[in-house]
Amino acid sequence: MPHARAAVLRETGAPLRIETLEAGPVAPGDVLVRIHAASLCHTDLEAIEGSLAVPLPAVLGHEAAGEIAEVGAGVAGLATGDRVVLSWNPHCGRCFYCERAQPILCHEFLANGPRGFHFDGRPRLACNAEPVHQLMYLGGFAEYCVVPAQSAIRIPDRMPFERAALIGCGVMTGVGAATRIAALRWGDAAMVIGCGAVGLSAVQGCVLAGAATIIAVDPAASRRQLARAIGATHAAEPGEAAELARALTDGRGADVVIEAAGRPDSFRLSVEAVRPGGQVVWLGKVAVNDEVGFRWGSLMQEKRITRSSYGGATPARDFPLLAQAYLDGRLKLDEMVSARIGLDQINEGFAALKRGETVRSVVVFP
Ligand SMILES: [Zn+2]
Ligand SMILES: [Zn+2]
């Protein structure tokens, strides 16, 4: 069983602690992944701050890439040395939702996720024989992690790990919102609210889907500038955005609005700025028991609203496509990496994420 340096959350609100854990056992159906890069996402921050209840101690990290170090019994299609991006949505393939092609709602996935272990309820990490939980079946802030084989998605060998990691959560969610959920059509007018990693990825999804107009909305001038640099045709502050959308569409509003800010004002803006009959995709979130109020008229006229957690991901289909798009120069990931850090700097990395200074900091393992 390999030893793995890992960032461990032992107490919410306290810094992560760098500890050495034992990674394993590699049960039938598992793979051991040597992590090369893992990026910091807001969902990890929610776990640290306690708004996402995670059983402790736990290793966070759900945007990660690495190589297969060991293959468990019964695993087909993966071999030692394969380069992989991790998916946080393992699913049983047999339940009501899996049968209906909605793996993100898989009964087993939702039932076992909050327990922080695999579907069999058993740990795959330990610290001196004490079980350690894994966030979202992964735990990428560690030199090694044991994951269900279906969570390890093979990508081309040429794909750099520190770019590949981003694909696993933020990029998939943002690009997928445009290409899989909104099913944006060539020539459409789109708006993306919030230009963090997910929003910047949604902008790129709009480009890939052929939107003619892409309005990026963010209060920070630097974020708007970044959005323009990766494909937005227009940029606006939140207060001007709905008016701009109407000005660019003969008064109708955007065909598609993707919300990626997670603020009540942003949810309200999304439905005010979309045209009658248009599609709204909400990716952001507020605390589950919070209420968000809307002007009723903003919801009328056949508007469609979808809330999505993973951008309609089918990781085995989509991750290789995203990696190839990066290698072909059609998907820009370099621009989204604000900092490369060591595991020892992870707490400063989360502090910078919280202050809004970084799009993505990537922990790189030597
Ligand atoms: Zn299922
Ligand atoms: Zn995430």
Side-chain angles (χ1 to χ4, degrees), residues 41 43 62-63 88 169-170 360:
C41 173
T43 302
H62 62 284
E63 250 190 31
W88 52 256
C169 182
R360 275 296 186 262

Side-chain angles (χ1 to χ4, degrees), residues 92-95 98 106-107:
C92 75
R94 297 181 302 275
C95 71
C98 284
C106 168
H107 178 79

